[in-house]
Amino acid sequence: MSDAAPSTVRSLRDETVAVLAQAGVPDPEVDADLLVGFVLGVGRGRVQALVVMDAAIDAEDAGRVRGLAARRATREPLQHITGTAPFRSLELAVGPGVFVPRPETEQVVQFAIDALRAVPSAEPVGVDLGTGSGAIALAMATEVPHARVYAVEKSPEAFAWTRRNVESVGAANLRAVLGDLADALPELDGAVDVVISNPPYVPDDAIPRDPEVRLFDPAVALYGGADGLDVVRVISGVARRLLRPGGTLVLEHGELQGAQIRELLTADGWRATATHPDLTTRDRATTALK
């Protein structure tokens, strides 16, 4: 970017858009707004208002935006730069070592929230296997406050973010557990109402195209074996152990994996398997009943 400090938010934003677009960043206009807003401490709408107003910006703030834009141009995730990722009503802390929650998962967790709300119990129990940042578990705990929620994560690096977010949100009804999901929570066997997971489901040889994913998301959160379903197979067994009869399983997965997952779950004894599209009409989640 130019060394000369732009005198207005408009010129700084235009400059930032150009740098990000040249680097191949998807939606450079959105990221430019968010970077400027991050430095100024305002939301995207306010940034756009400042552009229309042709508002001035001081050299120090402009320099900070340039520095952050240079990082984004290397395809470092925007969420790592700002240190936060929005998820439903939450603002979560994220960074190196943890999977950045995606917008499509906001729709997947709705299945678990709806299932928890439908349980005729004063304290329904939900479990998030492989919680990462804690996004799914925290959404369940905050949106179904009478539920008891458990969040399991085996990566110490990711679990540090889990704990940070649980403490920040202040969800007293959520318990974070460091451990392998394969043998998690034996004390809850047969007592859980909903199990949900966004497991690693990328086949080992299907390297993601986006540098933000390929270079920055932890491999343990991405790759699921030759067909991408190794962890799903484990979760099928664990969820059958944990859930009460009639309990609900919710799995996020890739758009081409629905049929194979339904077949896998049916073979394991699950009932009413169904695959659901996301807002882009791509298959994104499969649910089943024990």
Side-chain angles (χ1 to χ4, degrees):
M1 298 179 86
S2 165
D3 289 334
S7 58
T8 67
V9 174
R10 179 192 298 274
S11 56
L12 175 63
R13 181 191 182 275
D14 289 347
E15 191 177 336
T16 304
V17 170
V19 168
L20 299 184
Q22 186 175 12
V25 171
D27 301 317
E29 294 86 359
V30 174
D31 282 20
D33 285 346
L34 294 174
L35 288 173
V36 173
F38 176 68
V39 168
L40 297 182
V42 300
R44 189 182 177 205
R46 179 59 179 167
V47 171
Q48 294 172 340
L50 292 172
V51 168
V52 172
M53 294 162 56
D54 216 26
I57 185 169
D58 66 44
E60 182 179 353
D61 285 341
R64 287 185 61 203
V65 172
R66 283 201 194 87
L68 298 182
R71 288 172 59 185
R72 185 69 184 101
T74 70
R75 305 300 293 271
E76 181 179 355
L78 178 72
Q79 298 89 342
H80 284 199
I81 295 170
T82 64
T84 62
F87 189 81
R88 292 177 71 94
S89 65
L90 305 168
E91 194 76 21
L92 302 174
V94 295
V98 73
F99 185 80
V100 174
R102 307 299 202 257
E104 54 267 27
T105 305
E106 297 186 23
Q107 184 181 358
V108 176
V109 73
Q110 189 68 52
F111 292 107
I113 289 168
D114 290 345
L116 275 177
R117 286 173 174 164
V119 175
S121 166
E123 193 179 50
V125 179
V127 172
D128 176 19
L129 297 175
T131 196
S133 67
I136 288 174
L138 282 164
M140 290 194 294
T142 56
E143 296 184 44
V144 194
H146 65 288
R148 188 157 40 104
V149 179
Y150 296 80
V152 180
E153 176 56 54
K154 75 173 182 179
S155 162
E157 293 79 15
F159 190 70
W161 295 102
T162 309
R163 291 187 61 178
R164 178 174 172 180
N165 286 317
V166 171
E167 291 168 4
S168 175
V169 172
N173 58 332
L174 191 156
R175 177 185 164 204
V177 179
L178 177 62
D180 194 324
L181 63 83
D183 52 14
L185 306 172
E187 69 276 15
L188 295 180
D189 285 359
V192 175
D193 296 292
V194 179
V195 171
I196 183 171
S197 183
N198 179 13
Y201 55 72
V202 178
D204 289 346
D205 62 357
I207 308 301
R209 292 169 296 187
D210 293 341
E212 291 87 347
V213 178
R214 185 175 69 248
L215 301 178
F216 293 94
D217 276 328
V220 68
L222 290 176
Y223 300 106
D227 63 356
L229 301 181
D230 284 358
V231 181
V232 173
R233 294 183 180 92
V234 174
I235 290 171
S236 176
V238 173
R240 286 192 65 78
R241 167 173 63 80
L242 289 171
L243 286 170
R244 60 167 175 79
T248 301
L249 172 64
V250 182
L251 287 168
E252 183 170 332
H253 53 74
E255 62 182 295
L256 302 178
Q257 295 174 321
Q260 194 172 356
I261 288 176
R262 292 196 305 275
E263 182 180 350
L264 183 163
L265 295 177
T266 300
D268 282 352
W270 293 91
R271 300 181 295 111
T273 59
T275 298
H276 312 272
D278 61 20
L279 295 176
T280 68
T281 73
R282 296 178 175 91
D283 284 350
R284 182 58 57 193
T286 292
T287 56
L289 300 178
K290 180 179 175 182

